[in-house]
Amino acid sequence: MPHLRVSEAAALLGVSDDTVRRWIDAESIPTLKDSAGRLLVDGVDVAAFASRAAAPEDPTGVGRSARNRFTGIVTRVIADGVMAQVDLQCGPHRVVSLMSAEAVRELGLEPGSVATAVVKATTVIVETPAAKA
């Protein structure tokens, strides 16, 4: 089972190191120390905290099959006569969408707008860090 340092767990969860330490104390999450004396938590326990996060409530009430929804703020719009690129910052994630310039105008997308990127993909590539020797 993978073990993570407190700082690594915090970065993955988008919280501070202190928050992870409070969770360790309050939730009695088991820890261990590595050979350098650093506190480690089990990756499974970190995943359990990550799964507690819920997507923002959908104000549209529309049912949809896409589960990957990223709500954020529009940071940039580049539009020409026909096409546009819209950049959103959704928490720590940057999402870029290519769409028609007409759609940008109809949706009123501009820097500072709040928007949700809905992703439905048949191909999702999963990567892991290089194995340590």
Side-chain angles (χ1 to χ4, degrees):
M1 69 186 103
H3 288 91
L4 303 167
R5 293 192 331 247
V6 168
S7 61
E8 293 171 322
L12 290 168
L13 294 169
V15 299
S16 71
D17 295 8
D18 287 337
T19 297
V20 173
R21 286 188 188 91
R22 281 193 297 276
W23 288 341
I24 289 168
D25 293 340
E27 305 276 339
S28 300
I29 296 172
T31 60
L32 57 101
K33 293 197 178 196
D34 67 8
S35 60
R38 295 176 295 208
L39 194 62
L40 301 176
V41 293
D42 189 329
V44 173
D45 293 325
V46 174
F49 273 89
S51 67
R52 290 182 185 186
E57 195 170 313
D58 184 356
T60 65
V62 173
R64 62 180 54 86
S65 63
R67 299 290 183 250
N68 302 310
R69 298 171 40 86
F70 304 94
T71 299
I73 190 163
V74 176
T75 57
R76 183 169 72 156
V77 176
I78 302 171
D80 64 16
V82 176
M83 293 301 295
Q85 174 182 322
V86 177
D87 294 12
L88 291 97
Q89 191 66 40
C90 304
H93 305 288
R94 177 176 171 242
V95 178
V96 178
S97 178
L98 301 176
M99 65 184 74
S100 70
E102 178 182 24
V104 168
R105 289 188 299 275
E106 288 176 358
L107 294 171
L109 296 174
E110 60 185 14
S113 300
V114 174
T116 300
V118 179
V119 180
K120 180 73 173 183
T122 56
T123 302
V124 176
I125 299 168
V126 176
E127 300 177 336
T128 62
K132 297 177 185 174

